[in-house]
């Protein structure tokens, strides 16, 4: 039944829009690139762009040395603040796990990391998922096909396949994007090397990590987190399609769902613990600023008298959102089958 759902999607006009969006996304991967460790430029007092023409290895080594210097300063600065002490220990752990005291070539990973969660990429994939799953049942309801499905022998498979597709399609879609990105990045920057080194070597925001991740571990964590984000949105879209009467109502509900967490951060009378989770784990932040969330250390929060890492709690909430979306979708389907 999943194959039938896919055929239905791509036979409709929406299928052409989805293909066009994905082709556009694949086409611009070549242009998505961060400032490499071997590059340096700045604006002078007249706001003119000045490009550093020193040898690439020299530029990269200077950047690396600056990171190590900052990390040592944080790790060795005495303080009475418990949060700062915890962060200092995490920085010290990263320093202890350094294998080489000099810069190593990490251009492939730097670019791949940047492309894996690029906000425009995330936005396009989310648009595709919303277009598919916000219409996955409302279209059938509008055309009257839902009555035929509910009276058929395969009604269980037909309805539950929608939920299964909402879980699997984001994984497939994102995997295809990553595969295309991998191939393009290899063509541009060569095969990946030095993935066993510290993740701070490819991070633009330094060394705010929750632990001493290697580059490979950090990239895997990023891919898993973004996959969860996409699944949670597709499952929510599927649920709203099952309970809505029109596509517009379904899409509107999904957009409200995605923006609700950000809006709630403005409600100052909410508990500080909840505000902290909403401020870090809302969809707007996850999509626009994923590097400030994934694998980072953001302090501890107290829940029922016990301290938990804020980012860990946000990850649990994200996974809980997926499970809740699946549960609500199943309940909505059962309600339809029991009519």
């Amino acid at each position: 039944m999943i194959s039938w759902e896919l055929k239905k999607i791509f036979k409709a006009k929406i299928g052409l829009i989805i293909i066009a969006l994905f082709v556009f996304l694949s086409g611009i991967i070549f242009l998505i690139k961060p400032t490499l460790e071997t590059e340096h430029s700045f604006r002078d007092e007249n706001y003119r762009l000045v490009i550093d023409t020193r040898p690439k290895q020299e530029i990269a080594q200077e950047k690396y040395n600056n990171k190590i210097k900052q990390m040592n300063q944080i790790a060795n600065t005495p303080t009475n603040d418990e949060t700062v002490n915890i962060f200092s220990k995490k920085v010290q752990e990263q320093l202890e796990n350094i294998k080489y005291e000099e810069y190593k070539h990490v251009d492939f990973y730097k670019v791949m990391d940047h492309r894996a969660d690029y906000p425009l990429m995330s936005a396009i994939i989310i648009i595709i998922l919303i277009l598919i799953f916000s219409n996955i049942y409302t279209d059938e309801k509008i055309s009257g096909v839902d009555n035929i499905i509910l009276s058929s022998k395969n009604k269980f498979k037909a309805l539950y396949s929608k939920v299964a597709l909402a879980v699997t399609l984001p994984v497939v879609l994102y995997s295809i994007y990553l595969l295309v990105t991998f191939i393009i990045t290899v063509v541009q920057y060569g095969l990946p090397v030095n993935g066993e080194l510290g993740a701070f070597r490819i991070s633009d925001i330094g060394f705010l990590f929750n632990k001493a991740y290697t580059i490979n571990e950090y990239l895997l964590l990023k891919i898993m987190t973004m996959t969860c984000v996409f699944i949670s949105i597709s499952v929510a879209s599927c649920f709203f399609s099952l309970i809505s009467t029109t596509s517009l109502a379904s899409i509107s509900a999904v957009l409200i769902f995605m923006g609700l967490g950000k809006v709630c951060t403005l409600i100052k009378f909410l508990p500080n613990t909840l505000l902290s989770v909403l401020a870090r784990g809302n969809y707007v932040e996850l999509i626009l600023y994923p590097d400030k969330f994934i694998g980072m250390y953001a302090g501890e929060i107290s829940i029922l008298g016990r301290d938990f890492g804020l980012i860990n709690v946000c990850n649990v909430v994200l996974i809980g959102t997926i499970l809740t979306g699946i549960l609500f979708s199943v309940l909505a389907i059962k309600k339809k089958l029991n009519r």
Side-chain angles (χ1 to χ4, degrees):
M1 296 304 294
I2 290 180
S3 60
W4 178 79
E5 290 287 348
L6 290 172
K7 288 179 182 177
K8 184 185 71 174
I9 291 167
F10 288 104
K11 281 183 178 179
K13 291 181 180 179
I14 196 172
L16 297 176
I17 297 173
I18 292 167
I19 293 172
L21 284 171
F22 199 80
V23 169
F24 169 75
L25 178 60
S26 302
I28 64 170
I29 293 174
F30 286 97
L31 306 177
I32 301 174
K33 184 185 84 69
T35 301
L36 301 177
E37 296 298 298
T38 54
E39 300 172 340
H40 180 234
S41 61
F42 59 93
R43 299 282 178 177
D44 62 16
E45 60 275 9
N46 296 317
Y47 205 69
R48 291 176 298 190
L49 181 64
V50 178
I51 299 176
D52 196 333
T53 57
R54 289 179 297 165
K56 292 184 176 181
Q57 185 69 23
E58 183 179 341
I59 294 172
Q61 188 63 48
E62 183 181 284
K63 286 186 178 181
Y64 177 79
N65 291 340
N66 288 336
K67 284 184 179 181
I68 298 299
K69 182 179 178 181
Q70 293 176 45
M71 292 172 73
N72 277 308
Q73 287 176 344
I74 293 173
N76 299 315
T77 300
T79 178
N80 294 324
D81 189 304
E82 184 178 352
T83 300
V84 176
N85 279 330
I86 294 174
F87 179 59
S88 296
K89 290 179 182 179
K90 293 183 182 296
V91 173
Q92 183 63 46
E93 181 186 354
Q94 294 179 64
L95 289 169
E96 292 171 355
N97 282 273
I98 291 176
K99 293 184 177 181
Y100 303 101
E101 296 296 334
E102 68 276 354
Y103 166 77
K104 293 292 183 179
H105 181 71
V106 290
D107 283 359
F108 171 88
Y109 284 107
K110 178 87 173 182
V111 177
M112 191 69 190
D113 172 69
H114 184 72
R115 291 170 172 173
D117 61 354
Y118 192 66
L120 179 60
M121 174 280 300
S122 298
I124 290 175
I125 288 183
I126 288 170
I127 289 171
I128 290 173
L129 294 174
I130 290 176
L131 286 174
I132 292 173
F133 292 105
S134 290
N135 294 282
I136 199 165
Y137 190 73
T138 52
D139 282 355
E140 294 173 354
K141 191 180 296 184
I142 293 169
S143 62
V145 176
D146 62 322
N147 293 323
I148 299 174
I149 292 175
L150 292 173
S151 61
S152 70
K153 294 181 180 180
N154 293 321
K155 58 184 178 181
F156 293 96
K157 291 182 179 180
L159 291 176
Y160 284 119
S161 65
K162 300 179 188 301
V163 181
L165 191 63
V167 175
T168 56
L169 187 59
V171 178
V172 173
L173 192 63
Y174 187 42
S175 296
I176 294 172
Y177 168 79
L178 289 174
L179 178 61
V180 174
T181 301
F182 178 86
I183 294 171
I184 291 173
T185 308
V186 167
V187 171
Q188 290 180 310
Y189 300 97
L191 291 170
V193 292
N194 298 317
E196 75 284 358
L197 300 181
F200 71 89
R201 290 175 180 262
I202 64 170
S203 174
D204 287 330
I205 59 174
F207 28 79
L208 308 175
F209 296 109
N210 192 43
K211 56 176 285 188
Y213 294 108
T214 65
I215 294 174
N216 286 328
E217 289 172 342
Y218 175 59
L219 194 56
L220 178 60
L221 177 62
K222 176 169 286 191
I223 291 170
M224 290 172 61
T225 303
M226 295 308 299
T227 300
C228 286
V229 170
F230 297 141
I231 292 174
S232 66
I233 292 173
S234 66
V235 169
S237 300
C238 179
F239 167 69
F240 288 122
S241 180
L242 288 166
I243 64 172
S244 300
T245 55
T246 65
S247 297
L248 180 60
S250 179
I251 292 172
S252 298
V254 177
L255 295 178
I256 292 171
F257 165 76
M258 290 177 59
L260 189 60
K262 185 67 173 178
V263 172
C264 286
T265 60
L266 303 175
I267 307 175
K268 300 303 180 184
F269 60 79
L270 291 175
N272 290 332
T273 298
L274 178 58
L275 285 173
S276 297
V277 173
L278 291 173
R280 281 281 181 170
N282 68 79
Y283 283 107
V284 175
E285 296 294 322
L286 285 173
I287 295 166
L288 296 180
Y289 311 106
D291 286 342
K292 294 182 179 180
F293 175 88
I294 301 170
M296 296 292 113
Y297 177 71
E300 311 280 323
I301 58 173
S302 180
I303 301 177
L304 300 176
R306 296 185 61 183
D307 291 335
F308 298 90
L310 175 57
I311 300 300
N312 292 335
V313 173
C314 291
N315 284 325
V316 171
V317 171
L318 180 59
I319 294 172
T321 302
I322 295 173
L323 297 177
T324 303
I326 293 173
L327 175 61
F328 281 11
S329 296
V330 170
L331 292 175
I333 288 171
K334 285 186 175 181
K335 186 176 179 180
K336 292 181 182 300
L337 292 174
N338 293 328
R339 284 190 309 186

